[in-house]
Amino acid sequence: MPRPITLKDHYRETRVFARRSVVALSLVFLLMLALIARMVWLQVFQYEKYRTMADENRITVEPIGPTRGLIMDRNGTLLADNRPHYAVSITKEQSPDINATITHIGELIALDDALIDRFHKRLQQRQRPNTPVALKFKLTEEEIAIIAVNQHRLPGVTLDAYLVRHYPWNDMLSHAVGYVGRINEKELQTLDATNYSGTEHVGKTGVEAFYEDQLHGTVGFQTIETDARGRITRVLERTDPVPGADLMLYLDLPTQIAAVKALDGRRGAIVAIEPSTGGVLAFVSMPGFDPNLFVTGIDYKSYQELQDSLERPLYNRALQGQYPPGSTIKPIMGLAGLHYGFTDWGRSIYDPGFYKLDNDNHYYRDWKKWGHGVVNLKTAIVQSCDTYFYDLAFKMGVDRIHDFFLPFGLGKRTGIDLPNERPGLMPSRAWKRAAMNQAWYPGETLIVGIGQGYMLSTPLQLALSTAILANRGKMVHPRMARLVGDDPTIDDKPMEQIKLNNPQDWDATIDAMRDVIHSATGTARGINQDLTYDIAGKTGTAQVVAIKQGESYDASKLKEWHKDHALFVGFAPVKEPRIALAILVENGGGGGSAAAPVARQVFDAYFESLAEDQIDNTFTGAAAP
Amino acid sequence: MNQDFPFRLDALRNPVTRRISLSQAVHIDLPLLGGIVVLICVGLFVLYSGSGQSMDTIVRQLSRFAVGMAVMLVLAQIPPRTYKRWTPWLYGIGLGLLVAVLVAGAEAKGAQRWLALPGFGRFQPSELMKLMVPLMVSWYLSERSLPPGWKPVLLASALMLVPAVLIAKQPDLGTALLIASAGFIALFLSGLSWRYIAGLVVAAIPAGAGLWMVMHDYQRQRVLTFLNPEMDRWGSGWNITQSKTAIGSGGIEGKGWLNGTQAHLDFLPESHTDFIIAVLAEEFGLLGVCALLLIYFAIIARGTYIAMNAQDTYSRLVAGSITLTFFVYVFVNIGMVSGILPVVGVPLPLVSYGGTSAVTLMAGFGILMSIQTHRKLVPT
C-alpha cells in the first residue's frame, strides 16, 4: 500500500513524550493530593458532624408502653383485661404507591372511607419515618389469613400484633369500670409526655379513669439500632416498662349481674355498699353501652346514636343522676326529729289526708287520699305517711334538716373513687339566698320533709346514707377499689360516728324500717315471702317534676316519662348488715311495687354469692376474709 | 523490524552479558504484578465487609480475577507489533458491535449495553472499546509526525468521539467519558499543543450547555444532586449524603474491619460496587484511604515508567494512555463517592465487585507487560 512518506523525528517524539509523561504524573500526584485533602476534610475536620449523623442514622430511642393493669371483682373474676389483636399496617417508605396498596387491601378485606380517612390522619401525625401506621384494627381470623396469604403482593404491608383493652361483661359494667380510649389532643397536654410516649390509650371514665396513674404503669425505653429500612438490627440498651398495677374491686360480679337482670331493661340505677367497709358491691346504671366500642375508636354514627338516644345510655345515673329522694329519707328525717327533740316514739298525730299551714290556703296532700288516721313515728315510717313528716319538718325547720342530713353523705360529693360525681342538693336558707337570692318559704320545708322540692340526691348518696344508717351512725367512705396492686386503698380520714342524743333511736328506727318489709302494713311487704334473712328498708316514689323542653316530641313516650320514679333503700341482715343498697327505677311507678322487688333480687344474689364464697373457702381451707 | 530476531538469539546465546530473567522470559513485569496482587488482596478484604460478609461474593470475585489474570498473561505474550497490526481491525469490529448494541442489544436496568452471544452469555462491547480507543488513537498518531497538527488532532478526536457518543446513547455516560478521556490522554501524551488544550477548555462551556440539553433526566438529576446534595436528603441526594457520612464517620483510624455501621445497616447504597471506597474509608479511616491511594500511585508510577521506557511511539502512547486512564477511574470514582464529582457509574478499579471491568483492566495490564517485556534488550 503506497503511502506518503512522513519524516518522523524520533528523538523529538521521545522527548515530547517524556515531558508530557512527567506533566501527567505530576498531575496524577496533585489530583491524588486533592483526594486526600478531601478525605482529610471529611474525616478529620468534619468527623464530629458525620459521626453524629451516622449515629442518628442508626440509633433510635423507642418507648415501650407498659401493659395496663387488670381489673377484677372481689372474687378475682376479670372485668377488664388485655387481649392480643392484629392490625393491618402500612409503612409508607416501603410502599411504592400507598393509595394503590390501600385499594388493593380494600379488595381483600372490607375497608370503608372513614377507616381510610383516619389512616391518613394517623399517617400525618406519625413522628418517625419508616414506622408502620395501622389501617384497620381488630382483624378477624379470616382477615388475618387473607392478608397473610397476599402479603407478598402488598409491599410495605404488615400484620402487627397489639394488646387491646377488653371488657368481657360489655354493658353490665360500663358505668362502673368505664373504658379506655385513644388519647386525644386535650389529654395530650395534661398527660406526662414521657410516661405516655409508648401509650395510645388512656382511661376515660369510671375506675379506668380514676385509677389511670396506677393502672398505666411506667414506660420503658429501648435504644435500638435500625438499618436503612427501619428494621431493628439489635437492641443496644433496654429499660423494661413497669406494668400497671392490677385493681381488685369490692364489686361482686354475681350481684352486679343479678342487679342488671332485676332491672329487666328498665332505666334505672342500683348501688350496693358493704356497710362495714364502704366497698361498692354493685354499681349499675342502665341502660349501659358496650365499652369495647370506645377502645379502638367508635365511629361517628354509632356515637351519635348513643349520644342522641332518649334512653341516655352514656349517662351515669348512679353517680350523676340527681333525683328527688322521696320517702326514702323519712327514717333519717325521723332520727332528726328525735335528735332535736321535736318528736318521740310515743307522740302521735291525726292524719286527715292533708296538712295545712295556718296562713296558707295550700293543701299539702298525703299520698293516701283519705289519710292514715292516727299515726306515730313508727307507723309513719312503715306506711310512709306524708302528713306526719310535713308536720315534723315544719317544726324542725329546713336548716336543722340540712345540718342533720349532711353527715349521712347527702347534699355533697361522697368522694367515691370515680370521676365526675355530682353533689346532689341539700337545701337550706343560706343556700336559697345564695343561689336564688330569695327568702325561704315555710311551705318549701314541708315538701323537703318528704324528700321532694329542692332536695336532690344521687343513687350513690342514697346507698351511702343507708349504709351509715345500717352502721348505726358509723360513717364510711364509698370505695370501688379494694386493692391497687397489693396495697389496700386506705381511707385518709378515720371513721366518725354520728352521735344521737339517744343512741337507742338507731335500733328503734331500724326496727320501723324492718316492719316496712316484714309487717302486714309495710309498703314493701310484697317482697317478704320465703326470706331466709331479714331486711330493713324504705320505699320511695319521686314525682317527676318536668321533662326538659325539646328532648322528645313523642307523645306516648312523653306520657311514660311523666310517671313517677320508683325508689327503694334498704339493708340486710338487720342485725349485722352485710349489704346496703339504693334502687332507682326511672318512671317505674311506686317504690313498693317497682323498686323493692329489684332490691330483693339483689339481696338474694349477694347472699347466695357469699354462701358460695364460704363453701369455696371451707373447701380450700382458706380463712374467710 | 526483522532485526528483532538476531538480537534475541544473541541474548540467548550469551546469557552472561545478555542476562534475561525468568519473568522477562514469560513476559511478566514483577513490580506491576506485585502492585496488582496487593491491590486485589486489599480489595477482597473490603469487599467481604461491603458485601455483608458474603463469602459467595468473594469466591465469585476471585474467579473473575482468575479469568482476568489468565487474560493478562496471555495478552502479555503477544508482542506489541501484533497489537499494532490488529488495532484498526479490532477497532472496526468494536465500532460495529456498538452499533449492533443500539440496534439489537439486550436491555437491563433501563439501558442497552449488552449483546447476547449464543453460547457465550452476554457481552458488553463498550468494555472492548475501553482498550480499543486508546490503542486506535495511538496507532493513528504513531503513523503521523508528532506533535500532531490540526488535521490529525481532528481525526483522532473523531476516532474517540464516535464510540463515545455511541456509548453515551446506550446510555452509559460514565464509560463514554472514560473512553473519551482515554483517547484524549493519548493525544495529550503525543504532544497535543497547549493552545488546543486551552481552546478545548474554552469550548467546554457551550459544549456543557449542549450536553445538558441532550442528557437524560436521571443524568441531569445526578448533576443537580452533585451540585447540592443536601437539597433532597431522602431522595436523590441520599446516596451521596450517606457515602459522605460513612467516610466522615470513619475518622482517622476508622471503625475497624466489619464494624462500619453505614455499610452494614444498608444506609450506604451500592456498598460492594461503586461506593466501596466509602466502606474502606469508614472501617479503615483516613489511614486506610491513604494506603489504598499509595498502592494506586505505585501501579500508575510503574505504568508511566513502562511507557517512558517503551521503544516506539505506538507502545509509548498505548502504555501511557492505559496507565493514565486507570488513574481516571480511580479519581472519578473516589471523587464521586466523596462528593467532589457528580455521580457517574464508574467502579473503583480492581476493588469494586464486578466482572467485566476487572477483566478489561487486567487485559490493559497485560498489554503493558507485553510492552515492557518485548523490548529489544539494549544494554543499560
Side-chain angles (χ1 to χ4, degrees), chain A residues 63-86:
Chain A
I64 315 164
T67 310
R68 197 173 175 84
L70 305 173
I71 301 176
M72 50 210 144
D73 86 335
R74 66 190 298 131
N75 309 310
T77 311
L78 285 175
L79 307 181
D81 61 357
N82 308 303
R83 299 206 171 167
H85 276 279
Y86 281 87

Side-chain angles (χ1 to χ4, degrees), chain A residues 287-488:
Chain A
F289 54 89
D290 182 358
N292 294 304
L293 288 175
F294 289 83
V295 178
T296 46
I298 187 167
D299 61 278
Y300 183 74
K301 201 172 143 244
S302 309
Y303 185 69
Q304 279 301 310
E305 264 170 34
L306 286 175
Q307 187 86 311
D308 293 347
S309 167
L310 292 176
E311 308 258 286
R312 301 180 71 191
L314 297 177
Y315 178 46
N316 191 337
R317 290 171 165 79
L319 190 67
Q320 295 164 331
Q322 302 184 108
Y323 303 88
S327 306
T328 58
I329 51 101
K330 280 174 184 169
I332 302 174
M333 196 64 72
L335 278 173
L338 293 162
H339 178 68
Y340 291 122
F342 289 97
T343 189
D344 57 55
W345 292 102
R347 175 177 169 270
S348 51
I349 63 156
Y350 178 75
D351 168 27
F354 61 88
Y355 187 80
K356 210 173 163 302
L357 286 173
D358 283 348
N359 42 11
D360 188 349
N361 289 330
H362 190 86
Y363 286 86
Y364 296 89
R365 298 207 167 272
D366 195 286
W367 63 271
K368 203 170 182 181
K369 204 169 180 187
W370 309 114
H372 294 272
V374 176
V375 283
N376 61 15
L377 181 54
K378 182 165 184 176
T379 48
I381 290 172
V382 174
Q383 298 176 22
S384 198
C385 171
D386 292 336
T387 309
Y388 189 94
F389 287 98
Y390 289 141
D391 175 61
L392 187 59
F394 176 69
K395 287 195 166 83
M396 277 195 283
V398 71
D399 286 345
R400 281 197 190 87
I401 295 172
H402 171 265
D403 292 349
F404 191 81
F405 271 61
L406 274 190
F408 284 85
L410 295 161
K412 61 173 192 260
R413 289 186 177 83
T414 65
I416 191 175
D417 44 357
L418 287 173
N420 303 320
E421 187 188 1
R422 297 293 298 271
L425 177 61
M426 200 63 226
S428 66
R429 283 167 204 277
W431 165 79
K432 197 179 177 192
R433 176 61 67 192
M436 306 167 104
N437 196 23
Q438 278 175 13
W440 184 267
Y441 299 109
E444 291 168 340
T445 309
L446 263 59
I447 53 173
V448 163
I450 60 160
Q452 297 277 160
Y454 293 120
M455 189 175 174
L456 294 172
S457 48
T458 65
L460 170 66
Q461 287 174 329
L462 291 180
L464 176 63
S465 65
T466 308
I468 293 171
L469 197 58
N471 278 344
R472 277 77 170 166
K474 199 193 101 189
M475 290 191 232
V476 286
H477 297 297
R479 281 264 170 266
M480 295 296 291
R482 191 165 75 145
L483 297 171
V484 178
D486 296 325
D487 303 325

Side-chain angles (χ1 to χ4, degrees), chain A residues 3 6 8 13, chain B residues 139-146 148 152 155:
Chain A
R3 260 193 199 163
T6 48
K8 284 177 76 77
E13 278 184 19
Chain B
W139 174 84
Y140 173 75
L141 291 173
S142 66
E143 298 289 304
R144 301 289 170 279
S145 169
L146 296 179
L155 242 152

Side-chain angles (χ1 to χ4, degrees), chain B residues 66-87:
Chain B
V67 172
M69 279 288 179
V71 169
M72 181 178 81
L73 291 178
V74 169
L75 292 186
Q77 311 308 314
I78 303 168
R81 58 195 154 85
T82 311
Y83 288 113
K84 192 172 179 183
R85 202 182 305 137
W86 281 95
T87 295

